[in-house]
Amino acid sequence: MESELPYIYCPFPSRTNPHVGHTREHLDEWTRRTGLVHRESARERFEHADFGAFVGMVYPTANAEHLDLVADWFVWLFLVDDQLDDGHLGHTPERVRDVVERMRAVVEGSGPGPEGDKEAPAALVALADLWERTIPQAAPHWRTRFAWHLMRYLTTATTWEAGNRAEGVVPAEATYIANRRHTGAIHVCMDLIEIVTGTGAPESVHNDARFITALEASCNVVCWANDVYSYEKEQVLGEIHNLVHLVRHHRGYGKQQALEHVCAEIATETRRFLAAEAELLSLHPDLGGLLVPYLDGMRSWMRGNLDWSRQTPRYNPAEVGQYAEPEAYLEESVLGVGGEATEPGAGVPRQAPGGARHDTAGERLRAGHGPR
């Protein structure tokens, strides 16, 4: 797919983690034990994606234990996301409301976990395991922020995205960009940098305007690059939540022009990150021990996500035909909700790209200007 895409500016070096081999073996065992992946078709697709390589690229400095942990978080997020994006559940938020609330109870400690519940969805079992292994290494303020980001991902994906699909709404670019950082769970992944590096950044750092800019820009780069590489897959699925698709829909661009536009915006965001990074380090030389590892983690995410996207079969045009029949690889046991629509109006086929209606905010877009 790389040969068909415009150049994506990324001035950061490619790196990989020496513990990837061990993490691949760990992921195989963990996904079997938790029940996240068990059908042969799902197992084959999971292995081809090579999430072990992905996590090694975006967390190149993690030790073996931390790499296994963040890899498990990756797989959990990807498999839950596939259920919500590729299958019928992405159109019917009411059908996953109960399991999302049970997830909330796990991360907020406000209710019983899945222990002893033989009917508990695999995603809930795996989340309880992840939470138990993650929180001992984290400060209270980190746990609060991480839990908020995790639940914001789940609720945005199961309400805003699902509602748009069910009603045929094409969101405005600005609305989409603001929500994309949550539906992509990239804040969750950036939070894990602190676990991997062992540097608990205080709230004063997270509230610094320059840090916020660097984080927002790096998150945009990751999410928009993913949209570029997953565009063909999502067109097969009729998915509207993709920046390339929205640029085409709202601006009337052709495919190549839309791809070039998004790639140019990725370059703009990368430069915005670099400017914020330089200013942040210049103004706070006393915080270098905290800031440098965190900023390096953002750099690794931008580079590693791009490198993995270029090589994974998930986004290879020759492989996208598999997405025409998502029930062939989706595991119903992940969320504990059957994949077939059973309620009135549920599972309405996704509209063709030109058939969905505009978000009312779309009329207020700044036509011709980049998504800021």
Side-chain angles (χ1 to χ4, degrees):
M1 187 170 190
E2 183 180 359
S3 61
E4 300 179 7
L5 297 178
Y7 169 73
I8 294 180
Y9 171 66
C10 189
F12 314 121
S14 298
R15 294 184 290 176
T16 192
N17 193 294
H19 305 296
V20 166
H22 175 273
T23 294
R24 286 194 183 106
E25 295 178 4
H26 165 81
L27 283 175
D28 180 75
E29 186 277 330
W30 187 75
T31 54
R32 293 180 190 275
R33 175 166 54 83
T34 57
L36 284 171
V37 183
H38 56 85
R39 284 198 305 155
E40 190 59 34
S41 57
R43 172 65 53 183
E44 181 179 356
R45 180 170 176 268
F46 170 76
E47 291 176 350
H48 283 172
D50 198 359
F51 293 110
F54 189 9
V55 76
M57 293 174 183
V58 295
Y59 299 106
T61 64
N63 64 30
E65 178 185 359
H66 287 156
L67 195 68
D68 287 351
L69 176 62
V70 293
D72 292 345
W73 274 111
F74 264 46
V75 167
W76 188 88
L77 289 165
F78 267 101
L79 295 180
V80 168
D81 203 57
D82 278 352
Q83 293 289 323
L84 299 176
D85 280 357
D86 296 6
H88 290 289
L89 297 180
H91 301 263
T92 53
E94 67 278 1
R95 299 180 67 214
V96 293
R97 186 173 295 121
D98 288 345
V99 69
V100 169
E101 287 308 306
R102 292 188 70 182
M103 291 175 180
R104 184 189 302 277
V106 168
V107 301
E108 294 181 353
S110 58
E115 298 84 0
D117 181 357
K118 295 182 179 179
E119 302 300 320
L124 190 66
V125 173
L127 177 61
D129 175 75
L130 285 168
W131 197 249
E132 183 178 349
R133 291 158 55 203
T134 304
I135 58 172
Q137 308 179 54
H141 68 270
W142 183 93
R143 295 200 298 268
T144 299
R145 184 173 65 252
F146 184 75
W148 189 87
H149 282 147
L150 180 62
M151 293 313 303
R152 182 66 185 272
Y153 153 68
L154 289 167
T155 55
T156 307
T158 59
T159 55
W160 180 73
E161 277 195 326
N164 288 341
R165 295 187 190 107
E167 297 175 14
V169 173
V170 177
E173 285 181 44
T175 304
Y176 172 78
I177 287 168
N179 283 316
R180 180 66 172 93
R181 292 187 292 272
H182 297 296
T183 61
I186 186 59
H187 279 297
V188 174
C189 299
M190 293 296 188
D191 285 339
L192 290 170
I193 292 171
E194 292 188 52
I195 298 296
V196 166
T197 61
T199 54
E203 290 304 283
S204 59
V205 169
H206 284 275
N207 292 332
D208 186 287
R210 290 152 292 269
F211 183 87
I212 292 171
T213 297
L215 181 60
E216 179 181 272
S218 60
C219 287
N220 286 343
V221 167
V222 172
C223 291
W224 301 352
N226 176 260
D227 282 2
V228 167
Y229 276 89
S230 64
Y231 175 70
E232 295 290 349
K233 165 203 165 181
E234 291 174 348
Q235 287 295 286
V236 170
L237 287 168
E239 177 58 81
I240 59 177
H241 298 100
N242 181 290
L243 188 55
V244 179
H245 172 72
L246 294 184
V247 167
R248 294 193 67 182
H249 182 91
H250 290 302
R251 301 175 186 239
Y253 290 175
K255 173 184 172 181
Q256 192 62 29
Q257 186 181 12
L259 286 167
E260 290 174 356
H261 173 85
V262 174
C263 290
E265 291 301 314
I266 291 172
T268 297
E269 290 298 287
T270 302
R271 295 186 182 98
R272 191 162 74 102
F273 165 82
L274 290 169
E277 176 189 53
E279 187 176 0
L280 191 63
L281 293 173
S282 174
L283 290 174
H284 300 290
D286 56 317
L287 295 178
L290 291 174
L291 291 173
V292 171
Y294 211 129
L295 292 164
D296 184 62
M298 296 180 198
R299 287 166 165 250
S300 295
W301 250 104
M302 288 183 276
R303 176 81 257 176
N305 173 68
L306 187 59
D307 289 345
W308 182 75
S309 297
R310 286 170 170 164
Q311 70 181 44
T312 178
R314 279 178 68 92
Y315 309 134
N316 187 327
E319 303 285 339
V320 297
Q322 66 181 297
Y323 297 103
E325 298 181 355
E327 64 275 5
Y329 60 82
L330 293 178
E331 302 268 23
E332 292 185 5
S333 61
V334 170
L335 291 177
V337 184
E340 294 302 319
T342 57
E343 301 175 10
V348 178
R350 301 182 187 208
Q351 291 184 302
R357 67 181 177 85
H358 287 264
D359 182 351
T360 55
E363 302 301 324
R364 300 190 296 273
L365 288 179
R366 297 167 297 156
H369 294 278
R372 309 303 303 168

